Amino acid sequence: LNAYPNPFNSSTTINFTLLYSSYAVLSVYDVSGRLVETLTEGFIQAGQHSVVWNGMSSVSGIYFVKLDAGKIHSIQKIVLVK
């Protein structure tokens, strides 16, 4: 996972690469572990992908982007600053 920009003001682009096609879920969680938003869910082809998260409706703070794809589980910390 790679989010840019980070920290961000209103939106950030989350880039990820899948080495093989699989069912994947890309979600954003707050520091309490509550699901804020599921950005994508479904079968995703192998390759590079980008998803934009618009955090305008969320409060400033630390969030975690989690990617679950097959046996791959990855988490990145992102910071929303308004």
Side-chain angles (χ1 to χ4, degrees):
L1 287 174
N2 181 24
Y4 182 82
N6 186 21
F8 64 102
N9 183 318
S10 59
S11 66
T12 186
T13 301
I14 301 152
N15 301 300
F16 63 96
T17 301
L18 296 180
L19 299 178
Y20 52 89
S21 301
S22 68
Y23 180 84
V25 179
L26 182 67
S27 303
V28 178
Y29 294 85
D30 65 15
V31 292
S32 298
R34 290 183 295 236
L35 176 65
V36 174
E37 186 174 347
T38 299
L39 301 176
T40 188
E41 181 176 8
F43 190 82
I44 299 177
Q45 297 295 323
Q48 296 180 343
H49 303 275
S50 295
V51 177
V52 174
W53 180 46
N54 184 337
M56 288 301 294
S57 61
S58 299
V59 298
S60 295
I62 297 172
Y63 293 87
F64 297 94
V65 178
K66 181 180 179 188
L67 174 65
D68 291 313
K71 295 180 182 179
I72 305 296
H73 306 286
S74 181
I75 297 174
Q76 182 184 6
K77 179 175 75 171
I78 58 175
V79 180
L80 173 59
V81 180
K82 290 188 178 181

